[in-house]
Amino acid sequence: MTFTSIWEIITKIIDISLVWLMFYYLLKNLKNNVKLVLIFKGIIIIIAIKLLSDWLNLYTIGLLLEYVISWGPLALIIIFQPEIRTVLETIGRSQLLGRHKVLTADQRERAVFEITTAVEYLKRNRIGALIVIERNVSLQEYIQPANKIYSDITAPLLEAIFFPPNPLHDGGVIIQGDRITCAGAVFKTSMNPNVSKKLGTRHRAALGVAEETDAIALIVSEETGAISIAVDGNINYNLTLEEFKIMLLEELKPKMEVFYDADVNEEGEEDE
């Protein structure tokens, strides 16, 4: 093989890889964004009706849909500019190899212990709280305007932050790695129409950050003391302390470690 033919193969591989990478990020962000899912469904329906009209020779509807398809992309960009900007910002904040500090098993155990201890106290005393843990997608836009702390994760500090007289208790706390970065952070609330109307602003803010990023949002209800975890665009409501602890530990595990554990379990089952 000549150098030219080898180079052509390499460029084709790069070309295909970039296309797949683009689709990966598009589908990943589409999955967690309710409005973009609705847009995608609408586009599929329009294309299906257009194909049906061509098959049945429906002239009028076919002509109208041709105009829609021709001018639709421009209209979508204008109408859904905020949603498109959100996706582009999310991709821009993401890093392929991850930016968050990967905790050791001991660090994870210690962080989860401190957080669970604080959550137990907040639940018992019905003190509302929102704790957001950063993973691969940067939360810098929420950290920047918040009150910086940069402290180790401790239960007494978390309890003090959310204690009602504290001026920071209404906002959220952001954790990066094994450090509390800031308090008093304000998050965009979820616009998902399927969310129960019983959920308050704190739960909607947690769901909003879980829809836009891969962060883990921990919530304590001020009214009921119920504890919940919002992650991957979903909210797991009214967990027991044990369920809360187990789920938090699993979500904090690096992906490679999760895959390794799954392989070990499968091998163990086969050996038995």
Side-chain angles (χ1 to χ4, degrees):
M1 295 179 69
T2 63
F3 176 78
T4 305
S5 59
I6 294 173
W7 178 248
E8 285 180 359
I9 293 172
I10 292 173
T11 54
K12 286 178 181 177
I13 292 172
I14 294 172
D15 187 25
I16 294 169
S17 300
L18 289 174
V19 171
W20 276 110
L21 189 63
M22 182 181 68
F23 274 108
Y24 166 76
Y25 275 105
L26 179 64
L27 293 174
K28 182 181 177 182
N29 287 280
L30 181 68
K31 178 187 70 172
N32 296 329
N33 194 304
V34 177
K35 289 185 179 179
L36 285 179
V37 169
L38 295 175
I39 294 171
F40 185 73
K41 287 180 180 178
I43 292 171
I44 295 296
I45 291 171
I46 289 172
I47 293 173
I49 295 174
K50 173 61 176 159
L51 293 173
L52 183 64
S53 68
D54 290 343
W55 183 49
L56 298 176
N57 295 320
L58 303 177
Y59 176 78
T60 306
I61 190 69
L63 184 62
L64 288 173
L65 288 175
E66 280 184 11
Y67 283 113
V68 171
I69 292 171
S70 298
W71 294 99
L74 180 60
L76 286 175
I77 291 171
I78 295 171
I79 296 170
F80 296 101
Q81 181 185 357
E83 286 72 27
I84 295 170
R85 184 178 61 196
T86 298
V87 171
L88 293 176
E89 286 177 352
T90 302
I91 293 172
R93 290 196 302 264
S94 300
Q95 297 194 13
L96 294 178
L97 299 178
R99 68 179 305 281
H100 69 300
K101 178 181 178 181
V102 178
L103 302 179
T104 64
D106 288 341
Q107 288 174 325
R108 280 200 307 271
E109 289 281 353
R110 186 162 56 252
V112 170
F113 172 77
E114 294 293 342
I115 292 171
T116 305
T117 302
V119 165
E120 184 178 10
Y121 171 84
L122 297 168
K123 171 183 171 65
R124 186 170 61 250
N125 292 277
R126 298 212 174 168
I127 298 173
L130 173 57
I131 302 169
V132 178
I133 304 173
E134 183 187 81
R135 291 200 281 185
N136 284 332
V137 178
S138 172
L139 299 177
Q140 196 59 39
E141 68 170 291
Y142 302 110
I143 295 170
Q144 191 63 35
N147 296 275
K148 312 301 184 298
I149 294 179
Y150 301 117
S151 172
D152 293 336
I153 301 171
T154 65
L157 179 57
L158 289 171
E159 294 163 12
I161 289 171
F162 291 111
F163 197 72
N166 192 316
L168 299 177
H169 83 280
D170 277 334
V173 161
I174 294 179
I175 292 175
Q176 292 178 306
D178 58 351
R179 307 273 289 177
I180 298 174
T181 302
C182 67
V186 178
F187 303 97
K188 301 170 188 174
T189 57
S190 173
M191 302 302 291
N192 188 341
N194 298 321
V195 176
S196 172
K197 294 199 176 2
K198 294 180 180 179
L199 297 181
T201 306
R202 189 173 281 111
H203 287 81
R204 288 182 177 273
L207 190 55
V209 74
E211 288 172 347
E212 289 193 356
T213 72
D214 64 346
I216 309 166
L218 318 174
I219 318 103
V220 180
S221 172
E222 190 172 358
E223 294 181 0
T224 64
I227 53 177
S228 311
I229 295 180
V231 65
D232 295 331
N234 297 304
I235 190 163
N236 302 273
Y237 187 71
N238 199 16
L239 301 170
T240 65
L241 274 171
E242 189 61 27
E243 290 170 340
F244 175 89
K245 181 179 179 180
I246 292 171
M247 186 173 181
L248 182 55
L249 273 170
E250 286 299 314
E251 291 295 337
L252 285 175
K253 279 185 178 180
K255 290 182 180 179
M256 292 301 294
E257 188 173 332
V258 173
F259 294 150
Y260 175 77
D261 288 347
D263 292 340
V264 170
N265 290 336
E266 288 176 4
E267 289 176 4
E269 291 173 359
E270 289 173 1
D271 291 341
E272 290 176 0

